[in-house]
Amino acid sequence: VYTTLRESIIRCELGPGTRLVIDDLARQFKVSIIPVREALRLLQSEGLVLSVAHVGATVAPIARASVVEVFTLLEGLEVVAARIAAERATAADFETLAGFVTEMDRALEAGSPLHWAEINSRFHLAISRLADMPILHDMTQRAVDYWDRVRRFYFRDVLIHRTRLAQAEHRAMLVQMQARDIPALEGTIRDHNRGALAAYMAHLSQTHDEGVVGHDKKR
């Protein structure tokens, strides 16, 4: 129940503000209300579900503060992971990363930005995995999940306009990792995350959108 609901929230199949009625979910999953309550409790602890007075459980909004938090966390985690990965990576590891970059190039050439975004997540997680620090990777996985929700929700408004620039930054990151140029690599990662954050903030400022919105934004 927890895994299915979490994936549906991350993928924006359950949009912000959607009510999560315990009895309805129990019938849907063919379980008692006890595991549903536990799943909602876990999701609430992750900030993906809210308990609203006189309403019950609802999917949490994608608020301005949460967008800032996601990119701030990603920047810090990725700076550490990429630095360690660059120091430890083998030629085979760099070949794997280059494969992701090439696949992303092909996705953009084919006009498939959604596919590009999926490979993008795999690329960043692959770098984190190379650092061989399980706690760091677990934290990065969670931050990427939250980013995935943000990017799906605002895809047409923000991310689709940033793919070319972001891809150029991915190529730079790969070259800098191969050269083990840590200062340049850290600078590119900071620019990568701060540029994305600035784009989301600009969009939110234009729309005066504080994040408490429904499915109509994911268009």
Side-chain angles (χ1 to χ4, degrees), residues 55-198:
V55 175
T58 66
V59 176
I62 301 177
R64 186 183 300 265
S66 66
V67 176
V68 173
E69 183 176 11
V70 164
F71 285 104
T72 302
L73 285 172
L74 280 172
E75 179 184 327
L77 293 168
E78 291 187 335
V79 163
V80 174
R83 181 180 68 242
I84 297 171
E87 293 169 349
R88 295 181 176 180
T90 64
D93 293 328
F94 287 131
E95 187 175 341
T96 298
L97 294 178
F100 285 125
V101 173
T102 298
E103 196 175 350
M104 283 189 281
D105 283 335
R106 289 172 179 164
L108 290 183
E109 290 168 5
S112 302
L114 279 172
H115 184 46
W116 174 89
E118 291 170 0
I119 308 164
N120 174 43
S121 294
R122 289 160 53 197
F123 172 75
H124 286 282
L125 287 171
I127 293 174
S128 172
R129 197 173 292 109
L130 286 175
D132 196 25
M133 299 177 70
I135 296 175
L136 174 66
H137 182 66
D138 182 65
M139 294 171 69
T140 303
Q141 176 71 71
R142 179 171 291 196
V144 168
D145 283 346
Y146 288 123
W147 172 80
D148 198 32
R149 184 176 182 231
V150 170
R151 69 97 175 165
R152 286 175 185 276
F153 195 73
Y154 291 109
F155 179 76
R156 291 182 183 269
D157 296 311
V158 179
L159 184 62
I160 198 170
H161 305 295
R162 274 191 45 79
T163 53
R164 296 288 176 181
L165 175 58
Q167 185 60 6
E169 291 167 342
H170 291 148
R171 286 193 290 269
M173 287 170 60
L174 177 60
V175 170
Q176 291 156 359
M177 287 184 70
Q178 290 172 318
R180 308 192 196 276
D181 186 347
I182 305 304
L185 175 62
E186 292 181 351
T188 299
I189 291 171
R190 290 190 177 96
D191 290 344
H192 189 62
N193 283 284
R194 293 177 188 182
L197 175 59

Side-chain angles (χ1 to χ4, degrees), residues 48-64:
L48 295 173
V49 166
L50 296 180
S51 180
V52 181
H54 311 300
V55 175
T58 66
V59 176
I62 301 177
R64 186 183 300 265

